[in-house]
Amino acid sequence: MTSKFVLVSHVLCPYVQRVAIVLAEKGIAYHRIDIDLKNKPAWFLAISPLAKTPVLLVGEQAIFESSVICEYLDETHLPKLHPKHALLRARQRAWMEFGSSILSTIAGFYNAVDAPALRGKSQELREKLKQLEALVQDGSYFSGLQFNMVDAVFAPVLRYFEVFETVFGIDFFADTPKVRAWWLHLAQRPSVKHAVGANYAELLLDFLKARPVMLVENYRECLV
């Protein structure tokens, strides 16, 4: 391979999307290798101590954990995606962790095994989106007109809800118009568009339809 950077990926991994977005925003050429997380190859386990994607190979060195990879890229390549002001930078990093917490709730949502669990996770997602609604500034992105690292983190999070509407018939953005507008701006950004393959929505639909949530009796009623 001629590229200095190799991104080891899974086609549906939201954490991989973060890294792909940052790589694209910085114009960094890289090679992407998708693996099957249900059948992890030995070479992958040798470079990923946590056995998770993403892993970024920089030459012969492996970096794992998406937040660490993104910070490395921002330290070493322009343009900077973190704000210059230290307090604003710290604030956005804190909300990036909030984005990760939403991903955990999303996993709990589609893995819900009964109506109470599903109802609880659905409500938790709505409440977290309302917290964002109170925070997101008017404009295209999290803090207004400037795309930052925090936007790269939230793009894969918000992408889920677009597919959820197709699967479950529920608009999670109904009470959060600013969050909806934020996602619509993000969805048009080339780095966000191309962070997933053309068949991403189809693959995610298939994944969701095989999850425990689909076995919950009258699951749609739990989401109203």
Side-chain angles (χ1 to χ4, degrees):
M1 300 176 188
T2 58
S3 176
K4 176 183 176 182
F5 295 96
V6 177
L7 178 61
V8 184
S9 159
H10 179 270
V11 291
L12 293 179
C13 179
Y15 298 97
V16 167
Q17 292 179 51
R18 294 181 181 183
V19 177
I21 291 168
V22 172
L23 286 163
E25 290 291 333
K26 293 177 178 292
I28 301 172
Y30 68 97
H31 179 72
R32 186 165 176 166
I33 299 175
D34 291 326
I35 65 164
D36 180 0
L37 290 176
K38 292 182 179 178
N39 186 25
K40 301 179 180 74
W43 64 263
F44 170 71
L45 295 174
I47 62 171
S48 180
L50 300 177
K52 298 190 300 184
T53 55
V55 174
L56 184 69
L57 293 172
V58 183
E60 296 183 356
Q61 299 296 317
I63 308 173
F64 57 95
E65 281 298 297
S66 63
S67 59
V68 176
I69 296 170
C70 289
E71 293 292 340
Y72 163 75
L73 292 171
D74 209 47
E75 288 175 2
T76 56
H77 293 78
L78 295 175
K80 295 289 188 181
L81 294 181
H82 277 309
K84 291 183 179 179
H85 193 280
L87 182 57
L88 181 57
R89 190 164 61 247
R91 181 171 174 269
Q92 289 195 4
R93 280 180 169 138
W95 282 100
M96 286 162 61
E97 288 301 309
F98 185 79
S100 295
S101 79
I102 298 179
L103 288 177
S104 295
T105 305
I106 287 172
F109 172 80
Y110 61 63
N111 284 313
V113 295
D114 56 33
L118 179 57
R119 191 176 295 110
K121 290 300 178 183
S122 175
Q123 185 58 35
E124 187 177 340
L125 287 174
R126 293 173 191 275
E127 291 302 319
K128 288 189 172 184
L129 290 174
K130 287 178 182 177
Q131 286 179 269
L132 288 175
E133 181 74 7
L135 183 77
V136 175
Q137 297 182 17
D138 291 331
S140 301
Y141 303 113
F142 181 85
S143 291
L145 298 177
Q146 183 67 42
F147 181 93
N148 291 135
M149 187 75 76
V150 66
D151 296 288
V153 165
F154 273 98
V157 176
L158 300 178
R159 195 193 304 271
Y160 271 106
F161 295 102
E162 188 172 75
V163 180
F164 283 173
E165 184 171 358
T166 301
V167 177
F168 303 111
I170 296 296
D171 180 4
F172 275 92
F173 294 142
D175 298 323
T176 54
K178 287 199 293 183
V179 176
R180 183 200 302 278
W182 181 25
W183 163 242
L184 292 176
H185 282 293
L186 287 172
Q188 295 305 310
R189 197 167 181 94
S191 64
V192 174
K193 280 185 178 181
H194 301 306
V196 296
N199 62 342
Y200 169 83
E202 180 182 348
L203 292 174
L204 183 55
L205 282 169
D206 289 343
F207 172 80
L208 291 172
K209 288 175 180 177
R211 304 313 299 168
V213 63
M214 303 304 291
L215 300 177
V216 175
E217 186 176 0
N218 299 322
Y219 70 85
R220 292 186 189 276
E221 296 178 9
C222 299
L223 304 177
V224 176

